[in-house]
Amino acid sequence: MTPDVSENLLDKRHNELIQEAKKSGYNLNPDTVFTRGLVEGLLINANRYGYESCPCRLSLGDKESDLDIICPCDYRDDDLSEYGACFCGLYVSDTIASENLPAPVVPERRPLASERMKKSSSSVPAGGLPFPVYRCKVCGYLCARNNPPEKCPICKAEKERFEIFLR
Amino acid sequence: MAITPVHVEGIDKGSIMLYALSTCIHCKQTRKLLDELKVAYDYLYVDQLSRSEMDEVLKEMEKVNPRGSFPTLVINNNKVIVGSRLDEIREALLS
Ligand code: SF4
């Protein structure tokens, strides 16, 4: 495939992802060959686009429209709950991880491009809250403060992955 | 289609078209299976196209898989298998 990712870099990123996942209560797929294939895809995308977008989805190379598919994508946790793996199979449930099962085929849940355009605000007016509540679109973490954190303390997603949930 | 897919020589099982991404492990597994089955097929790495080619190919592809997800395999212009459903692909090509 693309030979621009060195084994060293691949090892390094793979280990980082394993550690990060463990720290936040997630599991990386224990199938090393499979997972390294995905990590390679993430690194290729990081080189190409400047961000690690999902290796199994088509990026348009424009960060704003790819934001929801920057790994970990907005769909990971729903897929983990429903199928036991994310769309790519990089993250898997405890059962799949501990029993070393193959990742299932997960149908695409990302809304169609036309639906993604209709930016529906999911914020509910609560009225009179002393602080707005921000929601991490990756893992659902909520925090009440004037601005979202630089990085989600739970899943490490960047600030721009937060939306206002209550104000 | 103006864009020419890559042709892989092999046993003629009719037209087999694979829409894939070069970075996707599921697409890779699907290609590996097609290679193992030694069938002739065409594939396109949609992520390696220019933006205008991409739009053109996506339009074609979304006719058979509206979600536009990968891998999308089209067998004889009628059977569509989305995702690396290897058993299903094997069955469709060996029958
Ligand atoms: S969490 Fe899984 S499906 Fe989502 S971007 Fe990362 S690898 Fe792809």
Side-chain angles (χ1 to χ4, degrees):
Chain A
M1 207 167 58
T2 330
D4 9 306
V5 178
S6 74
E7 287 295 304
N8 268 347
L9 193 61
L10 199 53
D11 283 342
K12 184 167 162 277
R13 192 67 187 117
H14 186 194
N15 279 326
E16 277 169 11
L17 286 170
I18 293 175
Q19 295 312 322
E20 281 167 20
K22 218 183 270 169
K23 252 190 264 159
S24 8
Y26 290 90
N27 309 292
L28 229 56
N29 193 325
D31 180 339
T32 315
V33 177
F34 180 90
T35 302
R36 280 172 72 94
L38 288 168
V39 177
E40 184 180 13
L42 285 173
L43 292 170
I44 292 172
N45 283 348
N47 271 341
R48 267 192 203 163
Y49 308 118
Y51 44 87
E52 287 185 344
S53 60
C54 188
C56 304
R57 290 180 168 112
L58 182 65
S59 289
L60 297 181
D62 133 42
K63 192 165 181 189
E64 205 185 325
S65 59
D66 290 342
L67 208 52
D68 61 325
I69 54 165
I70 295 179
C71 190
C73 61
D74 291 4
Y75 316 105
R76 174 185 67 175
D77 289 20
D78 281 340
D79 282 339
L80 274 173
S81 313
E82 193 170 342
Y83 302 103
C86 68
F87 180 68
C88 295
L90 180 63
Y91 291 93
V92 294
S93 66
D94 286 351
T95 319
I96 290 190
S98 59
E99 294 176 20
N100 233 321
L101 301 169
V105 176
V106 175
E108 176 62 291
R109 77 164 66 232
R110 187 188 197 203
L112 301 178
S114 53
E115 294 159 14
R116 293 199 303 274
M117 298 303 177
K118 297 183 222 134
K119 258 230 163 269
S120 71
S121 162
S122 41
S123 95
V124 186
L129 286 180
F131 295 99
V133 178
Y134 284 90
R135 174 180 181 277
C136 171
K137 288 166 91 174
V138 176
C139 71
Y141 167 76
L142 297 179
C143 60
R145 45 190 277 183
N146 284 327
N147 285 296
E150 289 305 312
K151 257 188 197 265
C152 174
I154 304 302
C155 71
K156 313 292 181 260
E158 301 287 326
K159 185 179 197 159
E160 59 211 309
R161 309 289 291 274
F162 277 76
E163 63 182 359
I164 289 211
F165 184 64
L166 286 171
R167 66 162 97 231
Chain B
M1 208 189 319
I3 299 130
T4 325
V6 183
H7 183 69
V8 178
E9 297 288 348
I11 306 159
D12 182 12
K13 285 274 179 183
S15 97
I16 300 174
M17 177 65 208
L18 175 69
Y19 296 95
L21 299 176
S22 68
T23 49
C24 170
I25 194 86
H26 302 272
C27 298
K28 204 174 176 184
Q29 288 181 331
T30 302
R31 275 203 60 197
K32 191 163 161 245
L33 175 66
L34 295 175
D35 290 338
E36 275 166 18
L37 295 174
K38 298 194 165 55
V39 295
Y41 67 97
D42 293 294
Y43 73 92
L44 262 181
Y45 281 146
V46 181
D47 58 317
Q48 293 180 339
L49 302 175
S50 72
R51 191 54 209 278
S52 62
E53 288 173 329
M54 213 183 256
D55 286 344
E56 194 180 329
V57 171
L58 278 179
K59 230 183 270 160
E60 283 292 314
M61 189 183 140
E62 283 167 4
K63 282 185 205 154
V64 293
N65 171 14
R67 298 218 76 89
S69 60
F70 297 89
T72 293
L73 184 70
V74 189
I75 304 171
N76 284 320
N77 294 314
N78 62 49
K79 189 168 174 55
V80 181
I81 302 177
V82 175
S84 55
R85 298 175 194 276
L86 303 181
D87 291 337
E88 219 180 291
I89 297 173
R90 196 176 283 123
E91 198 180 311
L93 292 178
L94 292 181
S95 60

